Amino acid sequence: MSRVFNFSAGPACLPQAVLERARDEMVEWQAAGMSVMEMSHRGKAFMSIAEKAEADLRQLMGISSDYSVLFLQGGASSQFAMIPVNLLRGKSTADYINTGAWSKKAIAEAKRYCDVNVAATDEANNFTGVPPQSEWNLNKHAAYVHYTPNETIGGVEFPFVPETDGVPLVADMSSTILSRPIDVSKYGLIYAGAQKNIGPAGLAVVIVRKDLIGEVLEDQPSMFDYAIHDKNDSMYNTPPTYGWYLAGLVFEWIKLKGGVKAMAEINERKAKKLYDAIDASDFYANPVVPECRSWMNVPFTLANPDLDKTFLEEAEKVGLTALKGHRSVGGMRASIYNAMPEEGIDTLVGFMADFEKKHA
Ligand SMILES: *Cc1c(COP(=O)(O)O)cnc(C)c1O
């Protein structure tokens, strides 16, 4: 077997130890006589899997009992709609911070339900940073403030948590959740598609303050109501059981590694190695202002874009895969979530130096 270093932005690589455990439990889960995929979601076996996953996530992130943790389907993209549907609560406007492609999608969807006040945007700088909060134009009547702490495509990360003066703060943490400690109590709602830092595609995790739910817009589908999911422990309908199970294995793996604090140290070191390599050379470049550079997604360009194709082909040959940048940005992008081993970064950095020597 030869597993590659997979730099895909999502679905992304999973910890090998998790895959091996899932393999060992695939056909028969812990003497249950069947695989996790075949179990009733309401049976004792799956209930224990579900409860343990939630308890571990709560412990890892320090989530208090003031918050519900929901395991839903529909990806992060469904949350773009579910957030206004549930959190407007009689108000007609919400604040959004626009730092790139995913912010824009969230904004476009929210516009179906309310007046969106784009309180700050980095569009004039081609989304290479985060506007300082002193320049934001927040509306004190907003139902909530939405932002994207890590823009997966642009590789832009907030170096601060916004202050919203009591207005609920909503964060799309799809590509940064569990990469470091955060203070959950500063948030009204946190959501993430699983396929970057949690598990396989098909699961979305929503962490929402309980006092914010239950006042959904009229005439919405039941599946769009957080309160219904909360009341039913995310089992109003059949939940994505296998994804939930795998997420649980990833949470256990993070705990074993030392929790999110340990992850942060590793992630910071991994990212620094890669940015240092990019900055030390005129052959490679990253456009993001240094204090807003993402630990998770590192876009970079070659000084001569005619070499892009050769770079990708030669990288592939040494087991470095999915480095092609997003079609909207071009160049390269290395997504280096929790599950990317440090050895993957070392191999990439070594390859980049060799490639430069050969082609500069
Ligand atoms: C990937 C991603 C999404 C979209 O997730 P889906 O699960 O495909 O809907 C949304 N926001 C961010 C920040 C992402 O990285």
Side-chain angles (χ1 to χ4, degrees):
M1 185 182 73
S2 58
R3 276 177 62 79
V4 294
F5 291 116
N6 173 11
F7 292 92
S8 169
C13 62
L14 286 162
Q16 188 163 330
V18 165
L19 295 175
E20 285 167 357
R21 165 103 181 259
R23 176 196 60 199
D24 294 345
E25 295 178 340
M26 167 70 84
V27 176
E28 185 182 11
W29 183 83
Q30 296 186 9
M34 63 179 79
S35 79
V36 173
M37 279 174 268
E38 300 164 298
M39 291 172 180
S40 164
H41 54 295
R42 302 191 193 283
K44 227 167 135 182
F46 187 76
M47 290 296 276
S48 73
I49 290 171
E51 281 165 15
K52 178 161 195 317
E54 180 178 334
D56 283 347
L57 181 62
R58 283 185 179 274
Q59 190 192 336
L60 280 168
M61 293 183 67
I63 303 168
S64 81
S65 58
D66 295 339
Y67 290 79
S68 275
V69 176
L70 307 175
F71 291 81
L72 306 178
Q73 300 182 55
S77 299
S78 289
Q79 297 310 314
F80 295 161
M82 283 177 79
I83 286 158
V85 162
N86 286 271
L87 297 195
L88 281 170
R89 301 185 304 145
K91 298 199 170 177
S92 59
T93 180
D95 286 341
Y96 278 72
I97 312 303
N98 183 8
T99 49
W102 288 114
S103 305
K104 281 188 174 182
K105 287 212 164 171
I107 289 166
E109 198 70 358
K111 280 183 175 168
R112 295 164 174 269
Y113 301 97
C114 64
D115 294 326
V116 169
N117 171 43
V118 177
T121 174
D122 197 52
E123 189 141 30
N125 300 316
N126 208 13
F127 298 118
T128 50
V130 173
Q133 175 141 17
S134 56
E135 292 170 13
W136 295 12
N137 176 28
L138 294 176
N139 174 359
K140 67 175 187 296
H141 302 295
Y144 57 88
V145 179
H146 179 285
Y147 81 118
T148 310
N150 186 73
E151 283 281 357
T152 320
I153 293 173
V156 172
E157 196 167 277
F158 274 67
F160 60 90
V161 178
E163 288 297 334
T164 57
D165 201 17
V167 177
L169 181 60
V170 175
D172 176 358
M173 291 202 185
S174 293
S175 51
T176 184
I177 193 165
L178 295 167
S179 67
R180 75 205 69 193
I182 58 156
D183 181 355
V184 172
S185 73
K186 290 192 169 162
Y187 296 86
L189 186 149
I190 291 166
Y191 65 104
Q195 67 274 26
K196 283 132 192 174
N197 234 348
I198 295 178
L203 169 73
V205 171
V206 175
I207 301 160
V208 58
R209 225 173 63 209
K210 286 176 181 166
D211 64 299
L212 297 176
I213 62 179
E215 231 185 293
V216 72
L217 286 188
E218 251 174 66
D219 300 327
Q220 296 298 318
S222 307
M223 285 294 287
F224 262 41
D225 187 339
Y226 291 136
I228 288 181
H229 290 295
D230 176 46
K231 203 162 63 201
N232 290 280
D233 296 323
S234 304
M235 295 194 190
Y236 171 70
N237 73 325
T238 316
T241 50
Y242 201 72
W244 195 331
Y245 155 74
L246 261 177
L249 295 189
V250 171
F251 301 153
E252 269 187 52
W253 175 80
I254 297 173
K255 279 174 67 178
L256 215 68
K257 297 276 270 186
V260 285
K261 206 159 157 259
M263 292 314 319
E265 280 166 24
I266 300 167
N267 287 328
E268 185 172 22
R269 194 167 63 230
K270 277 158 56 185
K272 185 174 185 309
K273 276 186 183 173
L274 189 46
Y275 287 116
D276 282 353
I278 292 166
D279 290 345
S281 139
D282 294 330
F283 193 79
Y284 302 107
N286 166 285
V288 179
V289 299
E291 65 272 20
C292 300
R293 284 174 165 183
S294 169
W295 289 0
M296 297 280 105
N297 310 96
V298 182
F300 61 94
T301 51
L302 308 192
N304 175 5
D306 292 342
L307 286 171
D308 283 5
K309 203 166 152 263
T310 314
F311 183 93
L312 291 166
E313 284 166 1
E314 291 188 13
E316 196 81 42
K317 278 188 204 145
V318 296
L320 302 167
T321 196
L323 282 163
K324 195 176 190 322
H326 190 269
R327 57 192 180 279
S328 65
V329 180
M332 312 299 152
R333 173 177 49 169
S335 293
I336 52 173
Y337 303 115
N338 286 350
M340 171 58 66
E342 196 152 352
E343 193 195 340
I345 310 294
D346 295 338
T347 310
L348 174 59
V349 166
F351 168 78
M352 288 167 70
D354 290 346
F355 188 86
E356 179 174 354
K357 260 188 229 128
K358 202 159 132 193
H359 294 280

